[in-house]
Amino acid sequence: MHQPGEQSSASPFQSAKNLAENFEVRTMPLKFLSMRPNFKIGKTGEPGKPLGLKKNLIIGIVVIIVLGALMVLAAWLFLRTVGPQPASPTTVLPDVALPAAVNPAAEATQPEKNQESEQLLNFDSWLTYDAPDFNFNLKYPAEWPSAQLENRANISHSIAFKSKDLEQFKITVFNNNQNQNLLAWVESLAILPESLESYTLSNQPGYIYRGGFEKLFNIYAAYGNNLYSLEFQTSEDPIVSQIYNQILATFQFTGEPESLNPEENQPQFMPAKDSDLDGLTDREEEIYGSDKLLPDSDGDSYTDGDEVANLYNPTIAGSARLYESSLVATYVNPKYNYNIVYPMGWQVKGGDDSVLFQDPQGEFVQVLIQPNNGYLAIRDWYGDNLGDNIDGLPDLKVADQLAVRSPDALRVYFIFGDNIYSLIYNIGLRNDANFMATFNMMIKSFKLMSS
Ligand SMILES: [Ca+2]
Ligand SMILES: [Ca+2]
Ligand SMILES: [Ca+2]
């Protein structure tokens, strides 16, 4: 009885609403019409015609001016391309006789330009820039003098090297007293980790980023208590590229990186909340479907944390394997012939030598592969490249290869073939880690496929 009453009172309201809508629609043409006269006068009215003629005249003049400007520009571009070409690699184009005949000016500029380039490439005349307080030095052409830049917040040193009118490259040193992970720092510069390639700067593992609108490339590295950004203006001039390569080859980190004291050698993060203290954080218990208030969800005497870290399903008693469930997926890397298990809800980014497995809230595990420059023992590579004190740390095995784990437990390294494999758990800018058991699970699952 009550419902029909409500309905009948609703329908008049609806029809009134419809009416209002229809009314509005009908008013639109009126509004439109009230605006139309303005258009009419301009477009087709009597006074419109002379205006149209004038317009055409103006358009004609503009077109002539633009065409003229374009021709001047084209002529200038032509002269410009003919001009500097002879100055390009002197050794590559020695017999090109063309420029002198086509452009008499080239005869005058060519020797001068060549001299200039030869001077730049004369490494014996390069100067040394030494910054012992900031643990680096490098060599650079005398023609590119250095200029100190203003130090902004948390920058401890900033220096630019300039040719006549261009800042060719600059080096910025950031204080890293908080011992921030290099990748986390680069990520905090709004650079996606998958757009980085690994780069070794003065024997330190770093990254190169070529995404600066194609006008810049950056190299990032960490040494001691500092983070370094080297920023270069890209150039199509092969001489400039040669100079950059030479500068990077001479770049050296200097002084002993301040040795970390034992406290600093400990993990720099807190484990995230684990309500039942079973080794799986509350976030992980969600991922694996276990009970965050019950240490042994399936009652088989193994804790949830132990089960996940050893690739067992914490919700099924007995020997049910994690990868037989829909809780995880397997990633296969065909280029480097490995596979690894990761939580189903995580995103896979990148490929080849740098693959990220990322939780929707940002933490990720990265598998990074870089060339092994002749090292036979992973501890030697670690000692030479990363410098932490790993003497007391136990060996572990990943995919049957002898591996070493960093003191902060976030990185595992091993040698396979011609490459160094790194498995890196990155907690980004967090100070707690949600996925240590998952990271251990992934390390355990990592397999190299023989063919
Ligand atoms: Ca737990
Ligand atoms: Ca649990
Ligand atoms: Ca269990």
Side-chain angles (χ1 to χ4, degrees), residues 182-313:
L182 176 62
L183 192 58
W185 173 63
V186 173
E187 215 191 356
S188 76
L189 305 173
I191 295 170
L192 294 174
E194 59 263 34
S195 59
L196 296 169
E197 298 159 51
S198 58
Y199 186 91
T200 303
L201 182 69
S202 180
N203 259 333
Q204 300 298 310
Y207 298 99
I208 183 165
Y209 172 65
R210 301 177 205 271
F213 301 103
E214 291 168 7
K215 288 185 174 155
L216 300 170
F217 67 95
N218 291 69
I219 288 166
Y220 301 104
Y223 188 75
N225 282 342
N226 293 321
L227 295 162
Y228 296 81
S229 164
L230 282 62
E231 184 176 289
F232 294 83
Q233 290 283 336
T234 51
S235 169
E236 283 174 12
D237 184 346
I239 290 179
V240 173
S241 303
Q242 245 177 296
I243 293 169
Y244 287 168
N245 283 332
Q246 184 67 14
I247 290 166
L248 285 166
T250 64
F251 185 99
Q252 273 188 319
F253 289 118
T254 58
E256 285 296 302
E258 280 178 46
S259 54
L260 300 169
N261 69 44
E263 275 105 331
E264 279 170 336
N265 238 341
Q266 295 305 307
Q268 296 294 305
F269 56 86
M270 299 292 291
K273 192 174 184 197
D274 173 5
S275 299
D276 57 5
L277 301 173
D278 62 355
L280 282 193
T281 63
D282 290 4
R283 285 283 310 287
E284 286 177 310
E285 306 253 18
E286 277 170 40
I287 286 181
Y288 301 105
S290 48
D291 189 334
K292 70 175 178 182
L293 300 175
L294 203 58
D296 178 9
S297 295
D298 56 10
D300 64 357
S301 84
Y302 296 101
T303 62
D304 297 343
D306 279 349
E307 298 218 42
V308 168
N310 289 292
L311 289 161
Y312 288 99
N313 188 331

Side-chain angles (χ1 to χ4, degrees), residues 62-262:
V62 167
V63 165
I64 288 165
I65 290 171
V66 167
L67 279 176
L70 281 174
M71 282 170 74
V72 170
L73 184 70
W76 178 75
L77 281 174
F78 174 74
L79 287 177
R80 197 165 159 263
T81 48
V82 171
Q85 244 169 23
S88 320
T90 45
T91 47
V92 181
L93 295 167
D95 298 326
V96 181
L98 208 85
V102 173
N103 179 10
E107 210 176 329
T109 54
Q110 187 180 359
E112 196 188 305
K113 268 271 180 186
N114 278 351
Q115 257 182 3
E116 219 172 88
S117 309
E118 270 167 31
Q119 184 60 30
L120 280 171
L121 289 174
N122 179 10
F123 303 136
D124 294 336
S125 71
W126 281 26
L127 304 177
T128 299
Y129 180 81
D130 193 10
D133 291 346
F134 306 100
N135 297 97
F136 76 94
N137 63 39
L138 59 85
K139 293 196 158 150
Y140 66 100
E143 291 77 8
W144 292 4
S146 62
Q148 188 96 28
L149 300 175
E150 198 187 327
N151 293 341
R152 295 188 313 276
N154 77 14
I155 292 177
S156 38
H157 189 61
S158 187
I159 185 104
F161 296 81
K162 295 178 177 178
S163 63
K164 278 174 211 144
D165 46 1
L166 191 67
E167 195 173 274
Q168 295 286 355
F169 72 103
K170 67 178 175 192
I171 296 177
T172 314
V173 183
F174 296 81
N175 193 310
N176 190 24
N177 281 338
Q178 292 172 349
N179 203 18
Q180 196 177 8
N181 169 290
L182 176 62
L183 192 58
W185 173 63
V186 173
E187 215 191 356
S188 76
L189 305 173
I191 295 170
L192 294 174
E194 59 263 34
S195 59
L196 296 169
E197 298 159 51
S198 58
Y199 186 91
T200 303
L201 182 69
S202 180
N203 259 333
Q204 300 298 310
Y207 298 99
I208 183 165
Y209 172 65
R210 301 177 205 271
F213 301 103
E214 291 168 7
K215 288 185 174 155
L216 300 170
F217 67 95
N218 291 69
I219 288 166
Y220 301 104
Y223 188 75
N225 282 342
N226 293 321
L227 295 162
Y228 296 81
S229 164
L230 282 62
E231 184 176 289
F232 294 83
Q233 290 283 336
T234 51
S235 169
E236 283 174 12
D237 184 346
I239 290 179
V240 173
S241 303
Q242 245 177 296
I243 293 169
Y244 287 168
N245 283 332
Q246 184 67 14
I247 290 166
L248 285 166
T250 64
F251 185 99
Q252 273 188 319
F253 289 118
T254 58
E256 285 296 302
E258 280 178 46
S259 54
L260 300 169
N261 69 44

Side-chain angles (χ1 to χ4, degrees), residues 39-54:
F39 286 101
K40 261 186 182 172
I41 287 165
K43 267 193 168 176
T44 54
E46 286 298 308
K49 273 204 171 175
L51 199 82
L53 262 178
K54 261 187 201 168

